[in-house]
Amino acid sequence: MTTMAADAGAYEAVFDAALAADERIEPRDWMPDEYRATLVRQMAQHAHSEIIGMQPEANWITRAPSLRRKAILMAKVQDEAGHGLYLYSAAETLGTSRDELLDKLHSGRQKYSSIFNYPTLTWADVGAIGWLVDGAAITNQVPLCRCSYGPYARAMVRICKEESFHQRQGYELLLALSRGTEAQRAMAQDAVDRWWWPSLMMFGPPDDASAHSAQSMAWKIKRHSNDELRQRFVDICVPQAESLGLTLPDPELRWSEERGHYDFGPIDWDEFREVLRGNGPCNAQRITQRRRAHEEGAWVREAAAAYAAKHGEAQA
Amino acid sequence: MTAALALGDDALVLSHRLGEWAGRAPVLEEEVALANIALDLLGQARVLLSLADDEDELAYLREERAFRNVQLVEQPNGDFAHTIARQLYFSTYQELLYERLAHGSGPFAPLAAKAVKEVAYHRDHAEHWTLRLGDGTDESHERMRRGLDALWRFTGELFEPVEGCEVEWHTLHDAWLTRITSVLERATLAVPEGPRRGGWAAGAGRQGIHTEPFGRMLAEMQHLHRSHPGATW
Amino acid sequence: MSGSPSAEWPLWEVFVRSRRGLSHTHAGSLHAPDAEMALRNARDLYTRRSEGVSIWVVPSAEITASSPDERDPFFEPSADKPYRHPTFYAIPEGVRHL
């Protein structure tokens, strides 16, 4: 704060007016502490999800069944590292360093999307992740391009643009399997069966049970409710599954003339909470690998910093 | 097409090894850098193998003894210094080789002209890291020294003439050694001593003689493709 | 450098010229131990889809920014000088090349 600082009320009025006019909030603007904290938490969780999300897919890079698929998968996993980087950068504009955020991830104080605590058991899982998990992520992310916080919105614009190939490659991969041999078709159906429900959980708890939703909507960090986005995703997926020639594992899935949407069965929120709490199939494995990579890289990061210091580069 | 296989396998195998780093790099920025190099190499491999035959049949259905890559590129990643040492030795060689092929009139000239720009960047990346690890901390210096020493014995094979590449291998070797010596000096590291090739008369990678870790690498790379004969992906 | 594990690399701001004839625009930021590595990381990260022909990197700490608190004294005065803009002037119809 400079000597020109007026009272907090005046600042808040400027902030509120900016939101009301649908203007962006920028890093050095005054903002309520809670707005700042919510953003740091959300951007960090989003960044963590990108880098943890590299693991289940990287699991198949060395086994990709054609060189074309291998190149696509490597480029996709690389994009996820890049997207994590954009998002950590956006979080850093609010004065929290990447090291601090990584430390919170490694010590379990910050979360990442629970979806990455499920294993990739077959090659078809790479397709299911692209189609369903990236599809759900895109449904969530497109509205974030209009998020009230400028750096986050700009990062999301870039990410959404780059991610457009992620979902398509997954769909195309599944299509090749579904039109392939009996074994390939079965592999594809099995993957869709396993990934469908966890993908629906990616939109978060139902609106009446969502802790942060209302405030985030008021701040225009979030533009649509969890249930609204989930419904949008289901409506998009049903015809896509039909074109794939695969079924979605929900006997209650049917078109409702009355609502103009697909009805779908109940989500197993007990499983959601269990996985969130750390009891998913891969929680421990994912965080262990992340920590190990970070710890094993420490000497490399130190060496480069030492070299820079010796050779007269200013250290920030 | 001996040369297409030799050069294509070099790129394919090194790309695979670099792909193993995904999700394990020392810092996020380096994830992106290593993946870029791996993708460049995979692109080169696909062009080269396609000159010889179907790229996937060559990559997934050949037995170990039919691969013609040098043993250097199949060596496991080890720590980051080990990987950088492998990158330094190989990318310096690849850049010099592709420069010569690009200026020649052989079948690889167009590919080499495009690839040499990519490879120059790989060499630049390896050199920058060699300097930082060599002249960084005591620990990084020691790790870099170990990596360079361990891989030195695989560098002789790089200069064994490849049938179909019209290149003066002696001058290529001299240029390589000059370059490596200069980088290592700047990095406060010594040029390793000791033999540059194994003493086994059967030969090495260019003759289809590989090291033990390579078989396991291929088993992993090929198993899915081979489990579904005739399938398309 | 004592090599303490928390020694985080400094932050750099990246500016990319997307094609010849345009100025560099801010693309984002990244971490790097020094300027040379910052340039390379920027090349790998921000131009991997051929988004650029030239890159600048600047240590984030070296940027001096105007403060939002000073927004009014900095930027309001120019708002009342419409005569700086061509639309301020009435020109008779038919006069061209002005």
Side-chain angles (χ1 to χ4, degrees), chain A residues 62 64-65 69-70 98 301 311, chain B residues 16 26 29 60 135 220 233:
Chain A
T62 53
R69 290 284 172 206
K70 187 170 178 160
R98 192 199 296 175
R301 298 189 298 274
H311 293 266
Chain B
H16 184 96
E29 280 79 358
Y60 293 99
D135 195 12
E220 182 174 342
W233 300 94

Side-chain angles (χ1 to χ4, degrees), chain C residues 9-55:
Chain C
W9 293 349
L11 193 64
W12 302 74
E13 299 301 323
V14 178
F15 300 83
V16 175
R17 184 199 296 285
S18 56
R19 58 187 166 82
R20 304 182 69 83
L22 298 180
S23 48
H24 288 75
T25 51
H26 187 234
S29 59
L30 49 75
H31 288 271
D34 54 53
E36 285 186 323
M37 294 303 273
L39 263 185
R40 282 156 183 81
N41 291 346
R43 177 262 192 195
D44 285 333
L45 184 64
Y46 288 105
T47 68
R48 67 188 188 285
R49 285 178 167 80
S50 316
E51 293 99 331
V53 295
S54 162
I55 300 174

Side-chain angles (χ1 to χ4, degrees), chain A residues 100-110 287 291:
Chain A
E100 260 176 274
L101 297 175
L102 284 176
D103 190 50
K104 285 185 176 154
L105 169 65
H106 298 154
S107 60
R109 281 173 295 154
Q110 278 178 345
I287 212 71
R291 263 194 226 134

Side-chain angles (χ1 to χ4, degrees), chain A residues 49-67:
Chain A
S49 301
E50 294 281 357
I51 63 167
I52 294 283
M54 296 170 74
Q55 290 182 30
E57 292 179 280
N59 184 35
W60 282 93
I61 288 179
T62 53
R63 293 177 286 172
S66 73
L67 297 185

